[in-house]
């Protein structure tokens, strides 16, 4: 605040050193060995999963690997595996949506993401989506006005009939 007090700790004396302030805040500060292990683990993880060089369709910067946005997880204890219940992909074009999906590929391949929703775009090619989700071993469903139908197991002729139906277009 404007009086120099830290949030949660009202009276910081002039003679308090940094360690006493941290003890007063009850912040768990990891020791040096734990910090080094986390840094090495993070570097290895980024090197392993940061192989995504997908550029946005306009040629701008690479789309970030979505794994890098997840919080750090302890690999040794096996508890608290990260699960992303729903990944929503919107965008003005299918190319942008595919860039997001490619950035999430490692999460999808490891089943970290439970379900993915992709909004309809004017240039959407359902067959490209089906192919992508087949590669990462996900089922593809079509959300209609009053029904949900699985479409990745349809033959081409039936899929054409579904996509050409007046209620879809």
């Amino acid at each position: 605040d404007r009086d120099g007090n830290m949030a949660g700790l009202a009276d910081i004396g002039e003679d308090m050193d940094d360690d006493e302030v941290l003890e007063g805040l009850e912040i768990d500060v990891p020791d040096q060995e734990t910090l080094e292990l986390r840094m090495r683990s993070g570097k290895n993880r980024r090197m392993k999963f940061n192989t995504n060089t997908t550029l946005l369709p306009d040629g701008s910067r690479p789309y970030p690997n979505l794994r890098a946005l997840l919080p750090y997880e302890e690999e040794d204890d096996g508890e608290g595996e990260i699960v992303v219940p729903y990944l929503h992909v919107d965008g003005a074009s299918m190319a942008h949506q595919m860039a997001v999906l490619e950035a999430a590929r490692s999460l999808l391949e490891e089943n970290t993401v439970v379900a993915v929703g992709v909004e309809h775009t004017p240039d959407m090619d359902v067959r490209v989506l089906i192919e992508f989700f087949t590669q990462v071993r996900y089922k593809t469903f079509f959300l209609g006005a009053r029904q949900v139908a699985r479409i990745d197991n349809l033959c081409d002729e039936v899929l054409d009939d579904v996509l050409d139906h007046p209620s879809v277009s």
Side-chain angles (χ1 to χ4, degrees):
D1 66 8
R2 67 179 79 168
D3 297 325
N5 298 321
M6 293 179 63
L9 193 59
D11 297 315
I12 301 175
E14 294 291 328
D15 58 342
M16 283 182 95
D17 71 8
D18 295 344
D19 294 328
E20 291 172 345
V21 171
L22 290 177
E23 289 170 8
L25 288 175
E26 298 179 7
I27 295 175
D28 181 27
V29 180
D31 60 8
Q32 188 64 30
E33 181 181 359
T34 303
L35 287 173
E36 288 174 9
L37 286 172
R38 286 183 180 175
M39 288 298 290
R40 279 198 301 268
S41 173
K43 285 179 185 175
N44 293 341
R45 180 174 292 173
R46 279 191 292 274
M47 288 172 60
K48 179 180 176 185
F49 294 110
N50 199 13
T51 58
N52 182 1
T53 57
T54 304
L55 294 178
L56 291 174
D58 61 1
S60 61
R61 63 174 171 68
Y63 202 86
N65 185 325
L66 297 185
R67 179 173 298 284
L69 303 176
L70 295 178
Y72 174 81
E73 67 180 279
E74 295 289 338
E75 295 174 4
D76 296 336
D77 61 10
E79 293 181 17
E81 277 192 38
I82 295 174
V83 175
V84 178
Y86 179 71
L87 173 64
H88 186 85
V89 182
D90 62 358
S93 71
M94 185 165 179
H96 283 116
Q97 292 174 324
M98 292 307 295
V100 172
L101 290 172
E102 284 297 333
R105 182 179 284 272
S106 68
L107 296 174
L108 296 168
E109 289 173 341
E110 295 175 4
N111 293 323
T112 302
V113 177
V114 177
V116 180
V118 181
E119 286 190 14
H120 178 74
T121 59
D123 63 342
M124 178 169 282
D125 184 352
V126 175
R127 286 174 182 77
V128 172
L129 281 177
I130 291 172
E131 183 178 333
F132 175 82
F133 285 115
T134 300
Q135 290 173 2
V136 294
R137 299 182 323 260
Y138 275 66
K139 296 175 181 154
T140 308
F141 291 85
F142 182 83
L143 177 61
R146 294 186 183 96
Q147 61 188 7
V148 175
R150 184 170 176 190
I151 60 171
D152 59 352
N153 59 351
L154 299 176
C155 67
D156 289 337
E157 294 82 14
V158 174
L159 182 59
D160 288 340
D161 289 344
V162 169
L163 296 175
D164 291 338
H165 194 275
S167 67
V168 173
S169 52

